[in-house]
Amino acid sequence: QVHLVESGGGLVQAGGSLRLSCTTSGRTLNRVGMGWFRQAPGKEREFVASSKWIGSNVYSTRYADSVKGRFAVSRDNAKNTVFLDMNSLQPEDTAVYYCASSSSRQLEGSNDVDSWGQGTQVTVSS
């Protein structure tokens, strides 16, 4: 059974930065897609970023337009951990952030997700 645990959320002022971590158990990460989604109050869960396994030790990344250039997804396969570095945070980034894992090499959207973390709250004050 795959288990994902997020950490690193919190309260930050606009313009600040946070790093989210997602540590997994029950699955090695080196050949699967991993990603991040978020859900703001009263809104649908939305895609934020993903990391797709291309082959060997190569991964491609994809971002939602709203976070492109500000957020970066990376992974440390040796530690079975995926990161989301968030910079220039804005109040509209306030949401619960969820780590997601796929059983295949890609994670293009929620349809590819077979395991979710419990979520971590990110609050950005203006």
Side-chain angles (χ1 to χ4, degrees), residues 34-65:
M34 296 294 297
W36 291 90
F37 292 72
R38 68 187 181 186
Q39 187 167 18
K43 294 189 176 181
E44 300 271 324
R45 189 175 299 189
E46 64 176 2
F47 169 82
V48 175
S50 67
S51 170
K52 171 183 175 179
W53 181 55
I54 300 297
S56 294
N57 202 32
V58 180
Y59 301 88
S60 66
T61 55
R62 192 169 73 89
Y63 299 94
D65 288 343

Side-chain angles (χ1 to χ4, degrees), residues 1-37:
Q1 183 177 358
V2 181
H3 191 51
L4 311 177
V5 179
E6 302 99 333
S7 61
L11 173 65
V12 64
Q13 288 188 331
S17 300
L18 282 175
R19 167 175 259 205
L20 304 183
S21 300
C22 172
T23 301
T24 70
S25 59
R27 170 177 286 161
T28 53
L29 300 189
N30 60 325
R31 295 188 177 190
V32 297
M34 296 294 297
W36 291 90
F37 292 72

Side-chain angles (χ1 to χ4, degrees), residues 10-16 18 89-95 122-126:
L11 173 65
V12 64
Q13 288 188 331
L18 282 175
L89 283 161
Q90 300 300 316
E92 51 266 34
D93 295 315
T94 295
V122 171
T123 303
V124 184
S125 63
S126 57

Side-chain angles (χ1 to χ4, degrees), residues 73-90:
V73 59
S74 61
R75 59 172 82 196
D76 183 339
N77 291 334
K79 296 182 178 180
N80 255 20
T81 300
V82 178
F83 303 99
L84 183 68
D85 287 296
M86 306 184 294
N87 299 302
S88 301
L89 283 161
Q90 300 300 316

